[in-house]
Amino acid sequence: MRTVLIISGGNEAVPGIRRAKDMGLHVVVSDMNPKAPGFAIADDKIIASTYDVEATLSAAKDYHKKVRPIDGVICIASDVPLTVASVAAELGLPGIPVEAARLASDKILMKNRFQEKGIAIPWFSEVFSYKHLKEIVSQRGFPLVIKPVDSRGARGVLRLTASIDLQWAYHHALSESPSKRVMVEEYLDGQQISTEAIIQRGVGVTPGFTERNYEYLDRFEPFIIENGGHQPTSLPMHVQESVSELAIEAGRALGVETGIIKGDMVYTDAGPKVIEVATRLSGGWFSTDQIPLATGVDLIGAAIRIALGEYVPLDEVRPKHWRGVAIRYFFPEPGRITAIKNTEKFNDVSWVHKLIFFVKPGDIVEEVTNHTKRAGCVITTGETRDEAIARAEEVIRTVHIETIPSRH
């Protein structure tokens, strides 16, 4: 029995852990939280922060030598490609180069590499002070986007317009950066898209292609909050192909010849551009649930096989069909939750794939400033894209997360 180490044990990783078990693998899960949900179904566990490369590396080496050899390492719905790549390199396992993971973990290094390789990206600049930000704004004008160089979950990401206090915006973005570095980039008008591709021996296939929903830009400004996404896309095939190929080219530019590339893309009047890419499987139940529902592709199974050093025939990861799938999020009023009502209306509804809450009665709902502040989500299916969207919106309208003002 081969052994796979999954560096992430959170709720979103659970479907992937189950898939690994179904494949007959011995599954070791690594997570800092002793009560991580993934531990309940894993064969073995390692307690270590997924973001702490050295701690995870030390624990993995110890397990590999003293308990049983590890044959592959992967993360699922966790932004820790550098940890994964470092463990793979140290144990001599299949994986992307450590340098590729390092580039993907630092947005300035990533954008510099894209610029060197001729990858289409928005204009960008590192920002070294509030004064520097003011100079950039005076030269470039509005709108711009300011963000931490090394954060996740939309923390510290702001859309800069003439009404924004630049000094506050700079310090807010800075506060969300572990390395205290921020950057600005051109704000791109156009359809935002998430892609998920498998690259093997330099050749890529994109089973994941979803239109991202940003209908609440005005409601939550200056914070840039996504309200889900939907498949299949309404974009013409030649546009889909150009977006997908650019994301794959971006992955290769980082040095990924075999692995997963998750693309954050925008299709503009000038063609597709890369906001950033991640060298890992996505979260938000995109890789684990939404892509299989929409396309029939076992993306997680394929990614695990690649992590074990197998070659997966490309036909296995090409979409077999396109069915309607939508995800939408709950945004209750800030305050203390008193009740979550009407969920029972969807208990046995076949087209509700998942109805999930990240909060419970008694919890405090805070102002929405990043994606971790969303209160829950629903994933729906339909014969068409529009039907899936309509169903998701019906659930959001019907289910009520009631709150009362709170002083805390």
Side-chain angles (χ1 to χ4, degrees), residues 47-123:
I47 306 294
S49 169
T50 57
Y51 300 108
D52 189 331
V53 175
E54 292 305 319
T56 302
L57 189 57
S58 175
K61 285 168 61 178
D62 195 56
Y63 183 93
H64 183 72
K65 291 179 181 178
K66 298 179 181 178
V67 183
R68 59 187 296 143
I70 296 170
D71 299 291
V73 57
I74 192 172
C75 62
I76 299 170
S78 185
D79 191 11
V80 291
L82 185 58
T83 305
V84 173
S86 299
V87 171
E90 181 69 23
L91 300 185
L93 305 176
I96 67 170
V98 172
E99 176 66 6
R102 189 176 71 86
L103 292 172
S105 302
D106 185 303
K107 293 177 176 63
I108 289 293
L109 294 179
M110 183 193 303
K111 294 288 179 75
N112 285 337
R113 173 59 62 89
F114 290 161
Q115 205 166 51
E116 291 168 9
K117 297 292 185 178
I119 302 296
I121 56 174
W123 172 89

Side-chain angles (χ1 to χ4, degrees), residues 214-236:
Y214 282 92
E215 63 186 303
Y216 294 144
L217 279 180
D218 292 338
R219 174 180 173 183
F220 295 122
E221 69 175 351
F223 305 102
I224 301 178
I225 306 299
E226 180 185 346
N227 184 33
H230 37 258
Q231 304 169 77
T233 178
S234 59
L235 295 171

Side-chain angles (χ1 to χ4, degrees), residues 32 36 129 140 178 224 235-236 269 275 281 301 376:
M32 179 176 67
S129 66
R140 300 288 309 186
I224 301 178
L235 295 171
D269 290 341
I275 300 298
L281 290 163

Side-chain angles (χ1 to χ4, degrees), residues 169-186:
Y170 172 73
H171 288 290
H172 176 77
L174 194 69
S175 71
E176 295 288 358
S177 169
S179 65
K180 301 303 175 189
R181 295 163 60 220
V182 300
M183 61 179 288
V184 291
E185 64 186 18
E186 173 189 3

Side-chain angles (χ1 to χ4, degrees), residues 251 374 390 399:
R374 298 180 293 200
V399 173

